[in-house]
Amino acid sequence: MERKEFRELTSVEDARELVDNIKVQPQVTVLPIEEAAGHIIAEDILSGLDVPAFNRSVKDGYAVRAKDTYQASEPAPTELKVIGAIPAGCEDSFFVDDGEAVEISTGAPIPEGVDAVVMVESTKQSGDSLFVYLPVHINENIMRAGTDIMKGERILRKNTRIGSREIGVMASIGMDKVPVKKLAVGIISTGSELIRPGEKLGISKIYDANSYAIAAAIEECGGTPRIYGIVRDEEKLMEEALDRAISECDIVLTSGSTSAGAGDIMYMIIERKGETLTHGIAIKPGKPVVIGMINNVPTIGLPGNPTSALSIFNEFVAPIIYNSLGVKPSFKTKITAVMGTGIRSGGREELFPVGVVRGKVYPADKTSGAITTLSDADGIFEIRPHTEYIEPGEEVEVTMFGNVRSPDLMLVGGQCPGIDLLEEMTGLTFRTLNMGSSAGFTAMSGGIADIACVNMVDVDGNYNSSVLKRMNLDNVVLVKGYRREQGLIFTPDNHIYGLEDIINLQIINRNRGSGTRALLDREMGLLAEGKGISKSEMIKSLKGYNSGSKTHRSVCDAVKSGKVDVGFGLRAAAEEAGLEFIPLAEDEFDFVIRKDLLEIEEIQNFLAVLRSEEFSKKLPEGISTYEMTGSIISSF
Ligand code: AMP
Ligand code: MG
């Protein structure tokens, strides 16, 4: 098989122009009003009736002839005779004469003979006598037929996206069926490694994220997704799926198999069945994209990587859906923000996922290939071609994802249930990147984090200050947090009484850079010293030492499932998981905070909660505050 190489990439500008010219004709279908939200109205909606259909009262009170009240005043009320009552929905007819009144409810029809409604608050009734204390003018508190919507009036424009307001307006003119545009967009996920969510994950398999993420994205644009499911990397199967989708849909999207790897054959199939308009766009993430046309059906091969697939969808597929439906994209909010850190670019046009915290932009591009890149991001920042570096402090424009609430504080570092409690009690939204203490220090020096959450012990048993000194961090303070019991975590059928007992067992370790891992290293070092052997020799005897679980909870999961015999971590996590725990050490979990943020409301709130008695009480078993909690012990 000939391998495709990306020698000539289409520029982003050319690719945009290309998709701007692709348009398909959607179908029109009629939906029950209950199901119409989110769709696009296919034709102008004219009202077939007046709303309201009759003159109605807008207040609870009494229907009267206005002129009868002109003399009324507080000291000298006018007396009228009450001849009946009209509740809402009343079908009885009344005629009201001079000197008479009828009790009337909000929304009830105005009877014959009257021209105003006096509010109940301006009256007093005694038997069938009504005393009116305030004059009303003609038409006061009456809504005339058709004042809301007039018969024949256009109430909604074609191509409007249907939301709660539109549904309300259509229901109020009695519509129960709504003509909407229907653009069927098929999705085929390719890859022999894919498994449907909900099914058991086999060896070297991953769950199919794209079918669902892309379906949701299609819906957000007003299209109708059709999921064709997973197709293994076999030419014949792919072709069959494509044929079916093309015969049933207006636009077809595939994911995976677009790059130049062995087995990546989607572009060849598209090429053979129709016409390839472009293969490869000069953009990152997601260069390997194919845009083609098969039997007049736009067919787009998205990259397999979920983050790339979604970015490419937003950039080059959403416009086709919008063009075809005749709507303008409604959810792209652009904001101007300031780079919180520098970003280096490869000189290509790049769509860079970024987080935006209090107006500062930082890269959210942890590693490409992770769907969490997008869920940790608040928007996309477009790096122009030939840009090598964007300075911190530079003003940039960020296209925000729909419906995201920007976080209030950015925390990077070790993971701890205490942080979840702090988030809950401050009422703030944290973006927490659980990447271990080392990453916390690094993010701090790079200006990305507001707070680094750290529990890094040095050889002398000191927590965190020595690392801060060694890293030459400046403009930060070290705030002491709390103490946490760390120890061995295992199931009751394992007989473990101390660190020595784990030597021939299968263990699960924490990720490199995690403070908890460093603590285990230190404990093993002390044990080795007692035995008169070297630390590295000691560590060699541990099975599974090189594993790297990212959270306390995942350590417990591995122990519970029986995959390993023992783990090392928090008592709080062990107890939550119902596992045995032997304490070995107490660590100190601290917070490094940027000095220039100390006075801002969010940090003040954070510190106040940390120092509060209530926080101390609510901490789970095995985590406790002490006299140093919340104090700033050093400033760098
Ligand atoms: P491909 O473009 O087929 O080479 O895929 C690129 C990467 O994305 C590979 O690591 C795939 O396993 C992954 N991938 C492909 N399709 C999906 C999918 N539907 N959901 C999640 N990951 C996928
Ligand atoms: Mg693949």
Side-chain angles (χ1 to χ4, degrees):
M1 191 189 304
E2 199 192 326
R3 287 261 188 118
K4 173 92 179 182
E5 286 183 34
F6 296 103
R7 281 215 191 81
E8 280 181 36
L9 297 173
T10 309
S11 73
V12 172
E13 218 170 298
D14 289 350
R16 283 201 178 124
E17 199 180 311
L18 176 76
V19 297
D20 280 345
N21 288 315
I22 301 179
K23 198 171 171 179
V24 290
Q25 191 62 40
Q27 319 273 317
V28 173
T29 152
V30 173
L31 287 181
I33 192 163
E34 297 91 325
E35 292 165 25
H39 290 84
I40 309 297
I41 298 176
E43 52 198 57
D44 284 353
I45 306 288
L46 308 183
S47 178
L49 70 160
D50 282 335
V51 178
F54 54 91
N55 300 340
R56 64 206 282 244
S57 173
V58 294
K59 290 276 160 57
D60 287 332
Y62 294 85
V64 296
R65 295 187 171 189
K67 67 175 174 52
D68 284 350
T69 69
Y70 290 163
Q71 303 304 321
S73 69
E74 195 67 39
T78 299
E79 189 179 343
L80 300 174
K81 183 166 183 251
V82 180
I83 60 160
I86 309 178
C90 176
E91 291 179 18
D92 300 345
S93 55
F94 280 90
F95 181 81
V96 183
D97 217 332
D98 280 347
E100 292 180 344
V102 169
E103 193 181 344
I104 194 163
S105 312
T106 306
I110 300 294
E112 290 283 302
V114 300
D115 53 18
V117 170
V118 198
M119 285 199 294
V120 69
E121 292 86 341
S122 315
T123 64
K124 191 178 270 172
Q125 189 179 345
S126 157
D128 61 2
S129 288
L130 178 74
F131 298 94
V132 178
Y133 294 89
L134 207 66
V136 282
H137 57 75
I138 290 177
N139 283 337
E140 192 161 340
N141 298 324
I142 292 179
M143 186 185 218
R144 295 275 161 198
T147 34
D148 205 351
I149 300 168
M150 233 155 29
K151 189 171 169 177
E153 190 181 325
R154 179 176 66 193
I155 55 158
L156 292 172
R157 236 176 234 282
K158 175 179 169 175
N159 296 344
T160 304
R161 184 190 295 272
I162 304 173
S164 50
R165 236 188 93 252
E166 289 73 22
I167 295 277
V169 170
M170 289 188 286
S172 68
I173 60 161
M175 285 176 73
D176 66 339
K177 294 190 179 65
V178 183
V180 299
K181 291 189 178 179
K182 190 167 182 142
L183 193 74
V185 186
I187 317 154
I188 302 170
S189 286
T190 73
S192 303
E193 75 279 30
L194 301 178
I195 297 277
R196 228 184 100 89
E199 280 169 19
K200 198 169 152 33
L201 201 60
I203 295 163
S204 59
K205 298 285 198 268
I206 60 167
Y207 283 120
D208 168 20
N210 291 345
S211 293
Y212 308 95
I214 301 292
I218 292 167
E219 238 164 27
E220 279 170 7
C221 297
T224 308
R226 279 186 80 142
I227 295 180
Y228 284 87
I230 299 161
V231 177
R232 279 186 289 130
D233 288 313
E234 281 175 39
E235 198 166 339
K236 191 162 161 288
L237 297 177
M238 287 191 188
E239 238 187 294
E240 280 169 11
L242 205 53
D243 284 340
R244 217 184 112 205
I246 291 204
S247 68
E248 295 173 347
C249 299
D250 303 310
I251 298 174
V252 172
L253 310 177
T254 66
S255 86
S257 191
T258 53
S259 51
D264 290 335
I265 45 183
M266 187 50 85
Y267 71 90
M268 281 186 6
I269 300 177
I270 294 177
E271 171 84 44
R272 194 168 57 231
K273 292 191 159 297
E275 185 195 353
T276 304
L277 303 176
T278 178
H279 180 204
I281 299 175
I283 197 165
K284 199 182 117 186
K287 165 181 76 161
V289 50
V290 191
I291 302 180
M293 197 62 95
I294 305 176
N295 293 346
N296 283 326
V297 176
T299 305
I300 295 118
L302 300 169
N305 170 318
T307 302
S308 305
L310 270 182
S311 305
I312 293 295
F313 176 94
N314 287 333
E315 213 50 45
F316 301 108
V317 181
I320 301 180
I321 299 179
Y322 288 131
N323 282 344
S324 304
L325 290 171
V327 292
K328 290 204 178 69
S330 57
F331 60 87
K332 281 198 173 177
T333 318
K334 290 200 180 203
I335 62 155
T336 304
V338 170
M339 295 301 298
T341 163
I343 291 185
R344 205 164 285 287
S345 159
R348 274 198 283 175
E349 163 117 16
E350 261 182 83
L351 295 178
F352 216 92
V354 291
V356 182
V357 182
R358 299 189 317 279
K360 284 256 172 73
V361 178
Y362 63 86
D365 185 28
K366 274 189 290 183
T367 51
S368 58
I371 182 94
T372 50
T373 304
L374 279 188
S375 48
D376 280 337
D378 302 302
I380 291 274
F381 157 56
E382 193 177 326
I383 301 182
R384 310 296 308 164
H386 313 300
T387 307
E388 305 271 303
Y389 185 66
I390 299 157
E391 306 267 346
E394 210 171 297
E395 228 176 53
V396 295
E397 204 172 61
V398 177
T399 305
M400 303 295 280
F401 298 133
N403 295 331
V404 290
R405 181 189 185 308
S406 276
D408 301 307
L409 287 175
M410 171 81 171
L411 285 73
V412 184
Q415 181 249 343
C416 179
I419 297 177
D420 300 338
L421 182 60
L422 282 164
E423 181 169 20
E424 188 192 311
M425 289 182 64
T426 53
L428 298 171
T429 306
F430 293 174
R431 161 121 339 119
T432 40
L433 300 184
N434 299 325
M435 297 159 71
S437 293
S438 301
F441 288 113
T442 311
M444 210 60 186
S445 75
I448 293 172
D450 297 327
I451 301 179
C453 311
V454 290
N455 61 321
M456 196 51 92
V457 65
D458 67 11
V459 281
D460 302 323
N462 278 325
Y463 275 88
N464 303 318
S465 346
S466 52
V467 186
L468 282 173
K469 280 190 201 113
R470 182 152 38 82
M471 285 192 71
N472 260 332
L473 272 177
D474 51 10
N475 289 319
V476 300
V477 295
L478 179 60
V479 177
K480 293 307 281 181
Y482 36 76
R483 288 195 173 126
R484 312 184 306 170
E485 267 185 90
Q486 298 260 29
L488 302 172
I489 298 173
F490 50 95
T491 52
D493 46 314
N494 267 306
H495 299 286
I496 295 171
Y497 304 98
L499 196 54
E500 220 165 319
D501 298 332
I502 76 168
I503 283 169
N504 286 310
L505 299 180
Q506 188 70 38
I507 73 158
I508 178 147
N509 206 347
R510 287 289 305 281
N511 55 311
R512 272 173 214 287
S514 133
T516 300
R517 184 178 175 118
L519 183 58
L520 178 65
D521 280 357
R522 184 181 140 78
E523 294 299 316
M524 293 309 288
L526 294 174
L527 184 66
E529 221 176 279
K531 287 183 174 294
I533 57 169
S534 77
K535 182 175 154 190
S536 56
E537 214 172 314
M538 187 82 210
I539 281 170
K540 255 187 229 149
S541 65
L542 288 180
K543 284 188 254 171
Y545 176 81
N546 284 321
S547 54
S549 198
K550 270 174 72 177
T551 64
H552 290 274
R553 192 167 283 152
S554 57
V555 166
C556 292
D557 284 348
V559 171
K560 220 171 171 176
S561 70
K563 271 192 209 135
V564 299
D565 301 310
V566 61
F568 185 68
L570 291 178
R571 176 193 284 275
E575 295 205 343
E576 193 193 274
L579 291 165
E580 300 290 305
F581 179 81
I582 293 180
L584 287 181
E586 229 181 12
D587 74 1
E588 291 171 24
F589 196 86
D590 298 335
F591 304 102
V592 182
I593 302 182
R594 278 175 37 198
K595 217 184 258 177
D596 58 323
L597 297 183
L598 276 177
E599 295 308 317
I600 71 166
E601 202 181 307
E602 291 85 349
I603 295 286
Q604 293 273 316
N605 181 353
F606 179 93
L607 291 174
V609 170
L610 177 64
R611 291 166 184 157
S612 74
E613 203 168 312
E614 200 190 341
F615 172 69
S616 173
K617 275 195 202 134
K618 282 191 174 167
L619 279 168
E621 197 67 32
I623 303 184
S624 42
T625 55
Y626 57 120
E627 66 285 357
M628 300 297 286
T629 297
S631 49
I632 299 176
I633 60 153
S634 36
S635 177
F636 297 84

